[in-house]
Amino acid sequence: MELNIVEKLLMNNPIRALVHRHFEARRLLSLGGKTNGGLALETGCGQGIGVKILQDVFKVQRVHAFDLDPRMISRARHQLRDREDSVNLWVGDVTAIPARDNTYDHIFDFGAIHHVVDWRAALKEIYRVLKPGGRIYIEEILEKYIVHPIFRRILEHPQHDRFNLQEFVQGLQETGFIVRGTDQFMEMYAWFTADKSEPAG
Ligand SMILES: C[S@@+](CC[C@H](N)C(=O)[O-])C[C@H]1O[C@@H](n2cnc3c(N)ncnc32)[C@H](O)[C@@H]1O
């Protein structure tokens, strides 16, 4: 589901970019640590600030990133115009990622999955394209925020079958992930890191 105009204004401004880099990404960094370079995927990349954070803070080498909204991808192309050698952007849906199984070393999601009606299908697709031994870094918005009377009125989110921290952990585990770390703020925002195990033997 694309963002309504209010959420677009909340997402695409310089203050959010600072909070994204210095607060949100730090929570994930303290849970999952830096990467060892490699190829990362970002789902629902919005205007592209997250891609910069992946490279500058998490030390990812190359990034593939997509968003459902073509206008977000236009903004991201402009935002990332000096990184085009290491960044590949497209319009796409997290429930149908155009990549082979086991493609990515790391996968990042900054707040896209709660916009997906079938969020478990998104987790399955992320699991499919992550390499064995790879790690996911997820920041998500919990049900308490989504059903809050004020946010419900001004923002547009799927309302049915949302998740709290424990339900999202269960979704990750049922998909096959090994959950490594969780954190939450006001029971509204949550951070998760989890791994796809290497095949035995
Ligand atoms: C809350 S915004 C976050 C954007 C960006 N990750 C950030 O932190 O600034 C959620 C983004 O997810 C995108 N989105 C929603 N549903 C999606 C889907 N099924 N597949 C890919 N992107 C999706 C929206 O268009 C929007 O850009």
Side-chain angles (χ1 to χ4, degrees):
M1 178 188 278
E2 291 183 14
L3 309 188
N4 72 3
I5 184 69
V6 177
E7 195 169 0
K8 272 195 179 152
L9 291 171
L10 288 174
M11 287 296 109
N12 298 339
N13 69 75
I15 295 173
R16 164 79 209 308
L18 285 174
V19 173
H20 195 168
R21 182 177 285 261
H22 297 290
F23 174 71
E24 301 170 26
R26 297 266 154 218
R27 304 286 276 239
L28 275 181
L29 188 64
S30 63
L31 284 183
K34 288 181 189 167
T35 70
N36 52 0
L39 174 64
L41 176 70
E42 188 189 353
T43 63
C45 63
Q47 66 165 342
I49 299 293
V51 171
K52 289 185 173 176
I53 294 172
L54 265 50
Q55 292 189 311
D56 302 347
V57 177
F58 290 89
K59 304 299 176 193
V60 163
Q61 241 166 3
R62 289 177 301 130
V63 185
H64 290 180
F66 63 87
D67 197 282
L68 194 63
D69 183 342
R71 284 157 300 189
M72 286 293 202
I73 289 299
S74 298
R75 292 180 74 109
R77 284 196 206 292
H78 181 70
Q79 183 78 247
L80 300 164
R81 61 196 178 284
D82 58 345
R83 300 183 185 222
E84 54 191 23
D85 290 350
S86 58
V87 176
N88 183 16
L89 298 166
W90 69 87
V91 176
D93 185 336
V94 65
T95 61
I97 301 171
R100 292 193 178 151
D101 297 358
N102 310 328
T103 297
Y104 295 102
D105 298 300
H106 335 279
I107 301 182
F108 289 76
D109 161 69
F110 291 104
I113 290 174
H114 69 281
H115 280 277
V116 181
V117 172
D118 188 353
W119 57 273
R120 293 178 186 82
L123 292 184
K124 280 191 191 125
E125 192 60 350
I126 287 170
Y127 188 85
R128 181 184 72 75
V129 299
L130 182 67
K131 282 183 185 166
R135 173 160 294 177
I136 54 170
Y137 296 76
I138 293 187
E139 167 179 75
E140 268 310 330
I141 303 297
L142 303 177
E143 184 171 34
K144 188 172 172 188
Y145 180 103
I146 289 173
V147 302
H148 187 285
I150 294 176
F151 301 135
R152 192 176 174 154
R153 199 176 180 91
I154 60 173
L155 305 174
E156 207 174 323
H157 292 119
Q159 298 285 318
H160 174 66
D161 186 29
R162 299 301 89 190
F163 44 81
N164 62 27
L165 184 136
Q166 290 75 22
E167 286 160 346
F168 198 77
V169 164
Q170 193 181 342
L172 288 167
Q173 288 169 335
E174 284 170 2
T175 308
F177 287 107
I178 300 160
V179 177
R180 296 294 184 199
T182 65
D183 189 8
Q184 62 178 326
F185 179 65
M186 296 172 71
E187 293 177 35
M188 289 189 174
Y189 309 87
W191 295 267
F192 307 85
T193 52
D195 296 341
K196 178 170 173 177
S197 59
E198 305 265 13

